[in-house]
Structure formats: structure tokens, C-alpha cells
Amino acid sequence: MTIMILGIDLGKNSCSVAGLDADGKVVLRRRMQPKTIVGFASKLAPCTVAMEACCGAHHLGGLLSDQGHEVRLMSPEYVRPYVKAQKNDDRDAEAIAEAATRPTMRFVELKTAEQLDIQSLHRVRSRLVGARTTLTNQLRAILLERGTTIAQGRRKLEQAVEALLADPDFMAGRIRRLLAEMREEWLDLDRRIEALDREFVGLARNDAAARRLTSIPGIGVLNATALVAAVGDDSSFARARDLGAWLGLVPRQHTTGGKPRLLGISKRGNKYLRTLLIHGARAALPSLARSQTLLGAWLRSLLVRRHRNTVVVALANKLARIAWVILRREAPFEADRATATA
């Protein structure tokens, strides 16, 4: 039995494995625990191991790659059309193996341990920011129920809560203690988020690629480290436009009968990274639009013809394409060549 393609349907407690020979025929079906896959693969001749790019795939892929196997990770949405008949784990493993044989299939680059660590830090920070937003919204609701309206803005809410808690005549009993507890929880979330921000600054200083990315207007420490963690080098994308499309910053296309129709942005790919790039573009737009550079002239022409929010997204796409060029050429940002190189 010679296995050329080994498809693995990952699971928490059990995994389904399907092996294909050189003719694409299924010659192996087996159910095993995740911890036994590495030992099983070590007994096989070097082959192609295919998995969906899900939780645990990069770690297992790294172990299998060290054994000499070629690891191919794919997006689950690209594997789904290859599932035949009824869906089950064995069929999923077979579909993964078959999808990996297609010459037009798009594969996900295997991430290093350092990239996974940085991504984990970003996800924790995103969760903390979301928890802080939920907490502040609840604070506003509690005060509004008692006739106190606070102006928009986190800083204004912070000042108002501190002033109310300092007033001995404002609210007594359990609700006052509850507000004080929520304020302490808020301060603790601020401290944890600030600690992660300082850690990202240190990571950006020690990484040459991240330092080069921070030279781009609108790309700060968070954007740079998130890009390095998600993209790594430029080997995953053949062209700069591919990175923008992967991030969902390009128009969604619906063309039929030879009549092209462009809709809103596709919003595919990494939502967190796309959000960071759009926020960075919104912050950098005023200064870039005033600059006497090719990029500034391009933005001014867009602002005349398009809505400001559309220009922000277009600039975010441009920044992503510039980031690809910076990673490819290993050179700092040059404003005069921005529109010509990306």
C-alpha cells in the first residue's frame, strides 16, 4: 500500500484519516486519536498531508513537516464541494485528500510557532477590548435607567463615573457599590490592554519586518505585528493585489452574461486585520491627502469622486498592497513611489 495523499479531518477527541494512492483511489480509512497521528505518519514514506486550516492544524502540520511530509492546509469552504453523498467524518477526510490534489486549489501557508504566539496575543487583546466595550455600555445603561445621561466617548464616560462616585449624595446602597466594582473592573481591563500594547511595541522593535511596516503611514505597531503574524513573508501571495483580496478589501463581483457588476467589499479573510487596516487608513487619510506625493494626489482625486468612507477602504487596500511590497523588497516605505509600486 503506497499512500500519496493523506487527508486528515481534525477533531478534539478523534480524527478521521483517508489515504489515496497515485491513481486517487482510497486505500486507507482509519479513525484515530489526535496524539497518535504523528506516530502513524512517521511509519509512512514521505507524502502529502492535507488538512483544513482550523484550530490545531498549524501545530500538527509543523510536526508532520519535520518528518519530511509536505503539509497542505486549505480553507474549509474550498473543501466542502468535494464532500460526496452524506456528510460524515470519513467523507470529510476523503474530500480533504481529494481537494489537495487539485492544481488550482489555494493553500494556506503553514505558520511558525512565533506567528501563532503573536496571533494569540492579538486575539486575547481583542477579547479584552470587547469586554471593556461591553462593560462601558452596561455602565451607560445602568446610569441611564436612573436618569443620568453621559455624552459619547470613553473618556467622557470615565470622567463622569469618577465624578459621580466622588459625590456622596449620588445614589446609595448596593447600586453605588456595583458601580464602584464595575469601575475597578474597567481599570483592570485598561491595565491588561496597556500591558499587551507595550508587549507589541517590544515585538515590533525586535522584528525587522515589523519595523519596516511601521514606516508606512497608517500602519502602527498593532497593524505591523498582526500583518507579520498573519502573512509572514510574501511567499503566500504572488501579487500585491492578492493580499488585498485575501483581506476582503476589494469589491465583491457578481458577473453574469458578460455584464460585470461590482458590489461592496467582499469582507473575506481576517476580519480583525481588516478592521485594523481600515482604522489605520481613517487615521492617516487627512495627513496623506494633504501631502504633495503621488499617494496624496491619488487620494485627493478619489475624495472628489467618492464618499469619504469609500476612500478610507480604498486607502486600506492600498496600505495592504504597499505592505506586500515592503515585505517582498525588504525596504522601508517611500511615499513618492507608493502608487507606482503597489
Side-chain angles (χ1 to χ4, degrees), residues 124-144:
V124 170
R125 184 188 182 278
S126 179
R127 176 180 60 82
L128 293 176
V129 171
R132 183 175 63 182
T133 302
T134 302
L135 179 63
T136 55
N137 289 340
Q138 194 172 47
L139 264 174
R140 288 181 182 276
I142 292 174
L143 293 173
L144 184 60

Side-chain angles (χ1 to χ4, degrees), residues 55-302:
C55 186
H58 290 279
H59 172 71
L60 180 59
L63 297 177
L64 297 176
S65 180
D66 292 339
Q67 295 179 352
H69 300 291
E70 180 187 356
V71 178
R72 295 181 179 179
L73 303 183
M74 296 164 290
S75 174
E77 65 177 335
Y78 293 153
V79 176
R80 194 174 302 114
Y82 294 91
V83 178
K84 302 180 183 66
Q86 304 299 321
K87 182 188 183 306
N88 54 55
D89 294 340
D90 293 335
R91 293 290 186 185
D92 288 344
E94 180 183 342
I96 292 170
E98 183 176 349
T101 64
R102 308 311 303 160
T104 58
M105 179 56 62
R106 298 176 180 178
F107 299 104
V108 178
E109 191 73 18
L110 194 65
K111 289 183 173 56
T112 63
E114 291 76 12
Q115 288 178 283
L116 293 176
D117 292 344
I118 296 175
Q119 276 196 336
S120 298
L121 291 175
H122 274 281
R123 286 168 180 166
V124 170
R125 184 188 182 278
S126 179
R127 176 180 60 82
L128 293 176
V129 171
R132 183 175 63 182
T133 302
T134 302
L135 179 63
T136 55
N137 289 340
Q138 194 172 47
L139 264 174
R140 288 181 182 276
I142 292 174
L143 293 173
L144 184 60
E145 286 287 349
R146 286 151 182 82
T148 302
T149 304
I150 309 298
Q152 289 185 353
R154 188 163 60 91
R155 181 57 181 166
K156 292 181 180 180
L157 176 61
E158 184 179 4
Q159 294 173 344
V161 171
E162 290 178 350
L164 291 174
L165 292 176
D167 184 4
D169 297 329
F170 174 77
M171 204 177 300
R174 182 68 183 93
I175 298 301
R176 182 182 178 88
R177 296 197 304 273
L178 177 64
L179 292 176
E181 292 171 359
M182 295 177 71
R183 177 58 184 149
E184 287 299 321
E185 184 181 356
W186 185 357
L187 291 174
D188 180 63
L189 288 172
D190 283 342
R191 287 190 290 267
R192 296 175 65 184
I193 293 172
E194 290 171 1
L196 286 173
D197 289 342
R198 290 192 296 270
E199 193 169 353
F200 287 130
V201 171
L203 290 171
R205 287 176 178 172
N206 296 326
D207 188 271
R211 285 200 307 271
R212 287 192 295 268
L213 289 175
T214 54
S215 66
I216 306 173
I219 302 292
V221 171
L222 286 178
N223 304 56
T225 52
L227 276 168
V228 171
V231 179
D233 55 18
D234 62 308
S235 60
S236 301
F237 305 97
R239 297 175 297 273
R241 67 180 67 180
D242 293 341
L243 177 57
W246 178 73
L247 291 171
L249 291 169
V250 299
R252 184 163 53 91
Q253 184 178 164
H254 183 79
T255 299
T256 182
K259 297 179 180 179
R261 182 186 179 192
L262 297 181
L263 308 174
I265 59 174
S266 63
K267 296 184 179 180
R268 301 177 66 183
N270 193 321
K271 178 181 178 180
Y272 174 74
L273 185 53
R274 181 174 61 253
T275 301
L276 288 179
L277 287 171
I278 290 177
H279 286 333
R282 182 173 286 110
L285 177 60
S287 59
L288 287 177
R290 292 192 300 267
S291 64
Q292 299 303 317
T293 60
L294 292 175
L295 184 59
W298 175 73
L299 287 173
R300 287 191 294 272
S301 66
L302 274 183

